[in-house]
């Protein structure tokens, strides 16, 4: 659906050059929710604006729904942009227009007949849960309601791609969840490809299928969200995972808990997908004849499944412990013996 090839954007001033996007190659599949995460200044906002030519690339290609966007001008570009909706951080609503009129605005520009416009706007208001606020003005709406208007407006022309530029960063946690749930619903109902940028790993974890991590204009890591959460490779990715308090507890935090349990190896267990929700420890105790001292751990959920890390101490004779480790690995649980205490 979206292909970026050797894409760069350089901003030039009289005294300096700033490379906001640096030689990015990226493919986003049709129908997926793809997240781009990075700190302020990483280049993610510029990257998403390159997708609909709000910024034009210095070099490289931007192909959306089979069209090379940077070659388009005038009417062909306007027509191509109708396939790309955009939701903004600060809503960008027209304050002198009602909810109905804000959603109708892109249809007016596209010269859609009035009866058809009215039908479409009513459908969209129903979709985002604002049918009863049709005549309200933006000043009368909550932040979440304003963003719902923004989403409905972005969907007015029935786009194939929806771009979300920090769409939840101005919202409280509860409202953020409701907006993310709405985006998932839209994705599932219409098969819409959604690209969102954020600095919040929670957003990525909750709704994205895949993620790209940006730093200094470059994509430094990308992959399925489960894989990135489970085994972040770059330091910046590890920092994002840590900020979400989803980081794996370290051995240093576990060892002090062993004062009352002085014998047996410490084993780090890593679960992924359905295995994170199976009663593996119960089966382990019953079948292998070991005692399991659970020290620390956490299971978290992502869009496509669960992942978790558990630190345990296995207690029993050597043969039973070896049998237990083999059992874990046979059941798709990674088991790493960290130390004998």
């Amino acid at each position: 659906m979206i292909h970026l090839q050797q894409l760069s954007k350089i901003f030039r001033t009289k005294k300096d050059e700033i490379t906001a996007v640096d030689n990015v190659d990226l493919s986003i599949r049709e129908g997926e929710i793809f997240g781009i995460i990075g700190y302020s200044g990483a280049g993610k906002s510029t990257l998403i604006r390159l997708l609909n030519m709000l910024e034009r690339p210095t070099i490289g290609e931007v192909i959306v729904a089979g069209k090379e966007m940077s070659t388009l001008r005038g009417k062909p570009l306007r027509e191509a942009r109708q396939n790309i909706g955009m939701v903004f951080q600060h809503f960008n609503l027209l304050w002198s227009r009602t909810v109905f009129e804000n959603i109708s605005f892109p249809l007016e520009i596209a010269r859609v007949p009035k009866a058809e416009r009215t039908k479409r706007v009513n459908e969209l208001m129903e979709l985002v849960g604002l049918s009863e606020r049709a005549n309200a003005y933006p000043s009368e709406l909550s932040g979440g309601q304003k963003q719902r208007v923004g989403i409905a407006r972005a969907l007015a022309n029935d786009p194939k791609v929806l771009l979300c530029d920090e769409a939840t960063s101005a919202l409280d946690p509860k409202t953020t969840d409701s907006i993310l749930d709405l985006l998932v619903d839209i994705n599932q109902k219409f098969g819409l490809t959604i690209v969102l940028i954020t600095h919040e790993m929670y957003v990525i974890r909750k709704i994205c299928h895949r993620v790209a991590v940006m730093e200094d204009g470059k994509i430094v890591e990308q992959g399925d969200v489960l894989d990135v959460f489970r085994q972040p490779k770059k330091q910046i990715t590890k920092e994002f995972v840590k900020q979400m308090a989803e980081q794996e507890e370290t051995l240093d935090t576990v060892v002090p808990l062993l004062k009352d349990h002085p014998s047996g190896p410490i084993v780090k267990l890593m679960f992924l997908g359905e295995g994170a929700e199976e009663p593996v420890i119960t089966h382990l105790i019953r079948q292998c004849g070991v005692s399991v001292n659970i020290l620390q751990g956490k299971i978290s959920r992502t869009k496509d499944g669960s992942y978790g890390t558990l630190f345990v101490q296995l207690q029993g004779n050597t043969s039973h412990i070896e049998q237990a480790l083999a059992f874990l690995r046979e059941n798709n649980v990674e088991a790493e013996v960290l130390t004998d205490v």
Side-chain angles (χ1 to χ4, degrees):
M1 174 58 72
I2 299 173
H3 302 284
L4 310 181
Q5 298 177 3
Q6 298 180 333
L7 185 66
S8 293
K9 176 63 178 181
I10 301 171
F11 292 99
R12 294 184 172 91
T13 66
K14 293 181 180 179
K15 297 182 178 180
D16 202 2
E17 289 187 351
I18 299 172
T19 303
V21 175
D22 191 357
N23 196 32
V24 165
D25 292 310
L26 184 67
S27 291
I28 298 172
R29 303 165 189 149
E30 183 175 0
E32 76 174 333
I33 304 177
F34 192 94
I36 300 171
I37 191 168
Y39 291 122
S40 296
K44 58 188 187 298
S45 290
T46 301
L47 179 62
I48 203 170
R49 290 168 64 86
L50 287 167
L51 298 184
N52 58 5
M53 294 296 112
L54 290 179
E55 295 286 354
R56 288 195 167 270
T58 304
I59 55 173
E61 294 184 346
V62 178
I63 301 171
V64 180
K67 295 183 179 179
E68 215 294 75
M69 298 294 292
S70 64
T71 65
L72 303 177
R73 297 287 192 283
K75 183 178 179 181
L77 178 59
R78 291 194 298 272
E79 290 175 347
R81 280 176 172 161
Q82 290 182 0
N83 285 321
I84 307 172
M86 191 162 187
V87 182
F88 300 90
Q89 176 181 359
H90 297 297
F91 321 127
N92 287 14
L93 302 182
L94 299 171
W95 293 87
S96 62
R97 283 178 166 246
T98 64
V99 168
F100 185 99
E101 292 166 343
N102 265 282
I103 298 171
S104 178
F105 186 61
L107 297 172
E108 295 172 22
I109 293 175
R111 301 183 184 276
V112 175
K114 184 176 180 180
E116 187 177 339
R117 286 203 314 265
T118 299
K119 181 175 181 293
R120 178 63 175 160
V121 172
N122 285 333
E123 291 172 348
L124 290 168
M125 288 193 300
E126 178 70 23
L127 175 68
V128 301
L130 289 177
S131 294
E132 296 181 358
R133 304 307 308 273
N135 296 316
Y137 288 89
S139 60
E140 301 172 298
L141 304 177
S142 68
Q145 289 172 330
K146 292 173 187 174
Q147 197 56 287
R148 287 172 181 270
V149 176
I151 291 171
R153 181 184 58 187
L155 297 176
N157 283 314
D158 195 21
K160 296 178 181 178
V161 175
L162 181 64
L163 308 179
C164 300
D165 186 357
E166 296 278 11
T168 61
S169 63
L171 306 176
D172 63 78
K174 184 176 180 179
T175 305
T176 291
D177 273 341
S178 70
I179 295 298
L180 295 179
D181 289 340
L182 175 60
L183 291 175
V184 170
D185 184 52
I186 290 168
N187 169 257
Q188 293 175 343
K189 282 183 177 178
F190 306 113
L192 192 67
T193 303
I194 298 177
V195 183
L196 61 86
I197 67 167
T198 183
H199 61 273
E200 301 171 293
M201 203 64 172
Y202 173 77
V203 173
I204 300 294
R205 191 198 75 180
K206 185 173 174 67
I207 71 168
C208 293
H209 300 102
R210 292 193 299 142
V211 61
V213 183
M214 286 196 74
E215 184 177 30
D216 296 331
K218 298 178 181 291
I219 291 180
V220 297
E221 186 167 356
Q222 63 176 299
D224 293 343
V225 170
L226 267 176
D227 293 337
V228 171
F229 263 80
R230 181 188 180 193
Q231 292 181 321
K233 295 179 176 63
K234 299 296 183 179
Q235 182 59 37
I236 185 174
T237 313
K238 293 176 182 178
E239 290 174 7
F240 278 120
V241 175
K242 182 177 180 180
Q243 287 172 2
M244 265 296 302
E246 299 292 355
Q247 76 274 29
E248 300 163 358
E249 293 82 354
T250 65
L251 185 60
D252 290 340
T253 67
V254 173
V255 170
L257 303 176
L258 299 175
K259 294 179 181 178
D260 298 327
H261 305 276
S263 62
I266 302 174
V267 181
K268 174 183 173 184
L269 308 180
M270 296 181 67
F271 306 81
L272 185 63
E274 294 180 358
E277 301 173 5
E278 294 293 325
V280 175
I281 298 300
T282 300
H283 296 325
L284 176 69
I285 295 170
R286 289 175 178 172
Q287 296 186 32
C288 301
V290 295
S291 296
V292 180
N293 178 23
I294 297 176
L295 304 175
Q296 289 194 38
K298 182 178 294 183
I299 292 177
S300 301
R301 298 184 183 277
T302 71
K303 171 70 177 170
D304 288 331
S306 301
Y307 70 96
T309 301
L310 194 64
F311 287 86
V312 301
Q313 184 181 40
L314 300 181
Q315 296 174 327
N317 63 46
T318 301
S319 63
H320 285 169
I321 289 175
E322 291 177 354
Q323 181 183 351
L325 293 172
F327 171 86
L328 289 166
R329 290 161 183 157
E330 288 170 1
N331 284 273
N332 299 317
V333 177
E334 292 189 20
E336 179 185 358
V337 178
L338 298 178
T339 185
D340 288 305
V341 179

